[in-house]
């Protein structure tokens, strides 16, 4: 599932604090640390070696509501003592310790203060901005040799599944300064989710063009699809953060050949930011028309995803754009209306335009190691064990990853996973469905198949969402077609945060969101032109230069 953006104000506070950190010019090298007599002896060097005597590795931890609820359902397990902490100790000789544990905003604030003061744990999970700042301040270890020496073949296969992008994003001045918690870009692909019971009730066909989408939206708003005699439904759902993975505007805007969150190539082969391209104007005007005609919730500009979701639960929304896991959110509408049926469809383009599905780089978190920690390889070995236990040759998936529908993988302080695991599971189920032989399914694919089968044969409603994502006509069947039709448009910049991005990116993103939102809510389209000018002047020009400098170097190295 998607991990949501951190609070913007909190990040600005964190960045301000970290900017004030004096560089730590600690002259002691890794070799000097390891020459000390108290460093445990390494018995093997296969990436899963056990320390003897055991070592302690410290982290900090965010306690999410879902994690706390799950732990309450696991007898004999706590965040400090559970199946994962025991496994790391038994198999690797690593004792996990948490310097502190906090929730939500408190976690973000404490982490910011911790990083700013230079007093953070042995291993810390950071975002791209924090990584750049810690590296610039010389507070974290260079992990280049550690990764090459200790990462197992499985770990390397997973982290490098989409090429060097994930590692590039963690590389600063030619040095690997953190281990990325990578994911697959295809997980960010958008689909158009439509209430098919409304389509059928109004005698409408699924959309093939953006013109069809606009027509359906208008009908869902004006023709009383819920048959309650009132005009109280909306054609399309949006949230106040236009780039939310569910109920966002990215898939809609792509229908006009505009890609507002990725870097694309222009006609000269240079990289340009999609958010300032002229194609955006037409998409914003279309959304403005929909808003002014009442096809969007009039209060969407004040609602986050959870608040806008209530309209879906109340049966007031007919369409939305969202990632593959959207079905699990939509399932809530079926608890209030058992006749509610949703189906994922491919996003579409306006007539005469080729369709491309934008894919954002999906690496947003990194594991950095405190400068001076005597065993920086420990985090890599933990990742090796986590991946091997869940997806290796002798995986125990239903014990360590998904135990009776509980996400027990969250008990681990490091949570790497194969970025393609979801679509790979779909392909395994698809192939088994074609042959009619499901005996070869295992681990995640087997668990998903069981849930879909329970829905199909016994009407177990919890399987509905799984079928809408992994079934024969589910979201991943569309992802499969996106891929086969060469419709996937990857972000062309995978180089991580540039120097100017550290200072300006959050400001520029806020500027973009504000301008887009103002136009949708009725401001003149000329607001977009002023936004582009301001974006360039406030750092966009310099960021573009840095991005293209990276791109030229990157292309040269690859060729």
């Amino acid at each position: 599932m998607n991990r949501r953006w951190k609070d913007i104000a909190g990040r600005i506070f964190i960045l301000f604090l970290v900017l004030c950190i004096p560089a730590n010019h600690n002259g002691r090298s890794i070799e000097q640390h390891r020459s000390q007599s108290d460093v445990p002896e390494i018995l093997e060097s296969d990436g899963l070696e056990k320390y003897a005597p055991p070592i302690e590795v410290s982290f900090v931890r965010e306690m999410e509501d879902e994690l706390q609820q799950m732990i309450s359902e696991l007898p004999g397990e706590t965040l400090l003592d559970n199946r994962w902490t025991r496994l790391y100790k038994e198999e690797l000789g690593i004792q996990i310790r948490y310097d502190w544990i906090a929730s939500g905003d408190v976690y973000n604030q404490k982490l910011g203060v911790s990083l700013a003061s230079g007093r953070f744990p042995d291993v810390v999970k950071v975002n791209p901005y924090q990584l750049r700042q810690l590296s610039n301040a010389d507070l974290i270890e260079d992990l280049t040799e550690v990764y090459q020496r200790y990462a197992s073949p499985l770990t390397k296969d997973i982290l490098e599944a989409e090429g060097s992008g994930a590692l590039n994003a963690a590389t600063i001045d030619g040095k690997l300064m953190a281990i990325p918690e990578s994911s697959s870009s295809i997980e960010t692909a958008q689909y158009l989710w439509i209430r098919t019971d409304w389509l059928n009730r109004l005698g409408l066909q699924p959309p093939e063009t953006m013109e069809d989408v606009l027509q359906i939206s208008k009908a869902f708003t004006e023709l009383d699809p819920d048959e309650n005699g009132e005009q109280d439904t909306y054609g399309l759902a949006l949230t106040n953060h236009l780039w939310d993975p569910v109920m966002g505007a990215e898939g809609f805007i792509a229908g006009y050949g505009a890609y507002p969150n990725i870097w694309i190539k222009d006609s000269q082969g240079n990289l340009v930011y999609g958010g300032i391209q002229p194609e955006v104007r037409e998409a914003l005007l279309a959304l403005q028309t929909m808003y002014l005609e009442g096809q969007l919730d009039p209060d969407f500009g004040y609602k986050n995803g959870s608040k806008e979701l209530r309209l879906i639960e109340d049966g007031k929304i007919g369409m939305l754009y969202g990632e593959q896991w959207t079905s699990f959110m939509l399932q809530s509408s079926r608890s209030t209306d058992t006749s509610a049926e949703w189906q994922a469809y491919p996003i579409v383009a306006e007539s005469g335009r080729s369709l491309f599905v934008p894919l954002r780089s999906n690496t947003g978190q990194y594991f950095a190691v405190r400068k001076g920690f005597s065993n920086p390889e420990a985090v890599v070995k933990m990742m090796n064990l986590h991946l091997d236990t869940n997806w290796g040759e002798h995986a125990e998936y239903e014990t360590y990853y998904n135990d009776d529908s509980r996400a027990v993988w969250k008990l681990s302080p490091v949570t790497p996973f194969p970025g393609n695991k979801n679509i790979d599971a779909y392909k395994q189920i698809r192939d088994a469905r074609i042959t009619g032989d499901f005996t070869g399914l295992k681990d995640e694919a087997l668990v998903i198949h069981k849930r879909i089968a329970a829905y199909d044969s016994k009407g177990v409603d919890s399987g509905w969402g799984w079928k809408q994502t992994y079934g024969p006509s589910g979201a991943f069947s569309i992802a499969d077609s996106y891929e086969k039709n060469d419709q996937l448009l990857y972000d062309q910049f995978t180089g991580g945060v540039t120097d100017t991005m550290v200072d300006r990116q959050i400001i520029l993103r806020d500027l973009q969101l504000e301008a887009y939102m103002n136009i949708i809510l009725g401001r003149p389209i000329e607001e977009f032109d002023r936004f582009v000018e301001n974006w360039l002047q406030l750092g966009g020009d310099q960021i573009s230069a840095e991005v293209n400098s990276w791109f030229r170097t990157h292309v040269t190295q690859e060729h």
Side-chain angles (χ1 to χ4, degrees):
M1 295 293 178
N2 183 68
R3 295 168 183 170
R4 298 181 61 82
W5 294 79
K6 289 187 168 48
D7 178 76
I8 291 176
R11 286 192 294 178
I12 293 174
F13 173 69
I14 291 169
L15 292 176
F16 171 79
L17 287 173
V18 180
L19 278 168
C20 300
I21 303 173
N24 178 5
H25 300 292
N26 186 338
R28 294 178 296 170
S29 67
I30 298 174
E31 288 74 16
Q32 286 173 311
H33 283 294
R34 293 188 178 182
S35 66
Q36 296 173 5
S37 59
D38 60 347
V39 174
E41 176 189 0
I42 296 176
L43 302 180
E44 305 173 62
S45 58
D46 64 354
L48 290 171
E49 61 273 21
K50 183 174 182 178
Y51 293 102
I55 66 168
E56 186 176 79
V57 181
S58 63
F59 294 82
V60 296
R61 188 65 190 261
E62 180 176 9
M63 176 64 84
E64 304 166 344
D65 292 341
E66 295 86 353
L67 177 59
Q68 193 161 6
Q69 174 63 32
M70 180 181 69
I71 290 174
S72 70
E73 300 171 359
L74 297 172
E77 297 191 74
T78 67
L79 192 59
L80 302 178
D81 182 15
N82 56 69
R83 66 193 73 188
W84 275 108
T85 61
R86 296 165 195 160
L87 188 69
Y88 289 129
K89 187 172 182 179
E90 293 166 4
E91 297 295 325
L92 296 178
I94 292 177
Q95 177 70 52
I96 304 300
R97 176 172 64 83
Y98 291 111
D99 287 352
W100 50 263
I101 300 168
S103 302
D105 292 340
V106 175
Y107 171 84
N108 295 330
Q109 292 165 8
K110 290 191 70 168
L111 179 61
V113 172
S114 176
L115 297 177
S117 67
R119 294 191 295 272
F120 51 90
D122 300 326
V123 180
V124 61
K125 184 188 287 190
V126 295
N127 65 33
Y129 305 96
Q130 295 162 339
L131 175 61
R132 168 67 71 163
Q133 291 288 9
L134 292 177
S135 177
N136 289 351
D138 194 28
L139 291 173
I140 53 178
E141 290 281 357
D142 173 5
L143 301 180
T144 308
E145 292 185 13
V146 166
Y147 176 76
Q148 290 302 327
R149 179 179 177 186
Y150 290 95
S152 68
L154 177 60
T155 297
K156 289 181 178 179
D157 285 346
I158 288 169
L159 293 184
E160 300 171 29
E162 289 189 358
S164 59
L167 295 177
N168 285 341
T171 299
I172 300 173
D173 298 329
K175 300 175 181 178
L176 184 66
M177 300 308 298
I179 306 300
E181 187 176 67
S182 66
S183 186
S184 170
S185 295
I186 202 167
E187 290 290 308
T188 70
Q190 288 282 305
Y191 310 90
L192 179 56
W193 297 81
I194 305 178
R195 275 199 65 160
T196 51
D197 57 318
W198 286 11
L199 273 183
N200 295 334
R201 191 170 294 161
L202 298 180
L204 300 171
Q205 296 299 313
E208 296 183 0
T209 65
M210 283 305 298
E211 290 85 349
D212 295 337
V213 170
L214 299 181
Q215 180 186 5
I216 292 170
S217 175
K218 191 175 183 68
F220 281 176
T221 304
E222 299 177 354
L223 300 183
D224 192 23
D226 59 354
E227 297 183 331
N228 69 348
E230 300 179 23
Q231 192 168 316
D232 58 354
T233 53
Y234 304 104
L236 183 71
L238 283 182
T239 72
N240 62 355
H241 183 63
L242 295 177
W243 317 131
D244 272 338
V246 176
M247 295 181 283
E250 200 164 16
F252 181 96
I253 294 175
Y256 295 90
Y259 314 103
N261 290 306
I262 65 174
W263 291 81
I264 57 178
K265 286 184 183 179
D266 65 10
S267 57
Q268 284 77 44
N270 297 315
L271 296 192
V272 294
Y273 183 54
I276 62 171
Q277 302 310 306
E279 289 82 2
V280 175
R281 297 171 104 256
E282 187 180 357
L284 292 178
L285 281 174
L287 287 170
Q288 182 186 82
T289 298
M290 294 172 71
Y291 177 77
L292 296 177
E293 291 184 355
Q295 298 176 36
L296 309 178
D297 170 17
D299 298 323
F300 87 88
Y302 306 100
K303 293 182 177 180
N304 59 22
S306 61
K307 290 180 179 177
E308 193 71 11
L309 178 62
R310 291 172 193 164
L311 287 177
I312 295 175
E313 293 172 342
D314 293 340
K316 302 304 180 185
I317 298 292
M319 286 191 297
L320 64 144
Y321 288 84
E323 294 178 0
Q324 51 88 7
W325 53 275
T326 300
S327 60
F328 300 100
M329 291 185 65
L330 297 177
Q331 186 143 3
S332 61
S333 68
R334 292 169 54 81
S335 62
T336 54
D337 181 0
T338 56
S339 67
E341 283 295 340
W342 293 86
Q343 177 68 48
Y345 294 95
I347 67 171
V348 295
E350 60 181 342
S351 297
R353 185 184 292 278
S354 297
L355 173 69
F356 291 100
V357 183
L359 301 180
R360 288 173 280 107
S361 173
N362 210 17
T363 302
Q365 299 290 326
Y366 307 83
F367 290 102
V369 176
R370 175 179 57 80
K371 188 85 169 193
F373 178 48
S374 58
N375 294 98
E377 75 286 342
V379 65
V380 177
K381 293 197 284 186
M382 289 176 65
M383 294 180 83
N384 291 342
L385 182 60
H386 193 278
L387 291 169
D388 185 66
T389 301
N390 289 321
W391 292 281
E393 185 177 352
H394 304 292
E396 299 177 75
Y397 178 87
E398 293 189 71
T399 299
Y400 288 98
Y401 192 84
N402 189 307
D403 181 356
D404 192 23
S405 295
R406 289 189 287 256
V408 291
W409 56 270
K410 290 185 177 183
L411 296 170
S412 170
V414 299
T415 55
F417 62 93
N420 289 319
K421 73 180 186 67
N422 291 328
I423 195 164
D424 285 348
Y426 160 76
K427 290 177 179 177
Q428 292 175 42
I429 297 169
R430 175 203 63 192
D431 294 346
R433 191 181 294 118
I434 292 171
T435 62
D437 181 8
F438 295 92
T439 57
L441 295 180
K442 63 178 184 178
D443 301 332
E444 191 158 21
L446 178 59
V447 171
I448 294 169
H449 166 65
K450 287 178 180 177
R451 290 169 179 165
I452 294 174
Y455 172 73
D456 286 338
S457 62
K458 301 177 183 177
V460 178
D461 203 52
S462 60
W464 181 90
W466 295 97
K467 185 172 184 178
Q468 299 308 313
T469 293
Y470 291 90
S473 58
F476 277 124
S477 71
I478 299 169
D480 209 11
S481 66
Y482 285 160
E483 199 167 28
K484 290 176 180 175
N485 296 330
D486 290 327
Q487 293 174 315
L488 299 175
L489 181 63
Y490 289 84
D491 192 342
Q492 296 299 296
F493 176 64
T494 58
V497 174
T498 70
D499 285 330
T500 305
M501 285 181 183
V502 171
D503 297 329
R504 296 291 175 171
Q505 185 81 321
I506 292 175
I507 295 171
L508 295 179
R509 283 180 176 170
D510 284 352
L511 187 73
Q512 179 181 356
L513 183 60
E514 182 181 10
Y516 284 23
M517 187 68 77
N518 284 342
I519 293 169
I520 294 171
L521 297 180
R523 294 284 288 273
I525 193 59
E526 287 74 24
E527 183 108 350
F528 178 76
D529 305 318
R530 287 192 290 274
F531 152 68
V532 173
E533 292 176 6
N534 290 334
W535 189 90
L536 294 170
Q537 292 172 2
L538 292 174
D541 258 337
Q542 182 59 33
I543 289 175
S544 297
E546 292 169 352
V547 166
N548 278 284
S549 175
W550 170 88
F551 184 62
R552 286 189 293 271
T553 302
H554 184 67
V555 169
T556 300
Q557 289 175 346
E558 286 195 341
H559 294 85

